[in-house]
Amino acid sequence: MEALGGTLTAGPTAPGTWQVTAVLPMPAPVRPPTHTTTSATTTTPEEPWPARTR
């Protein structure tokens, strides 16, 4: 775990209790490239398919 930058601790905290704590590194989120388009079929992350037309 330390090789990846994390930590792990474990041990008693009070009579009859035990605590385990793990801290795992999380990479920064990958942002999709931003670009401008004029297509009518452009989608957003909330709408993974083109909007319906009637």
Side-chain angles (χ1 to χ4, degrees):
M1 177 139 5
E2 289 178 8
L4 299 174
T7 60
L8 176 68
T9 57
T13 56
T17 63
W18 190 268
Q19 181 174 349
V20 177
T21 304
V23 177
L24 305 173
M26 187 171 180
V30 177
R31 302 185 106 195
T34 57
H35 59 279
T36 305
T37 180
T38 57
S39 172
T41 60
T42 301
T43 61
T44 65
E46 295 82 25
E47 300 176 290
W49 51 86
R52 286 184 166 178
T53 57
R54 295 181 186 202

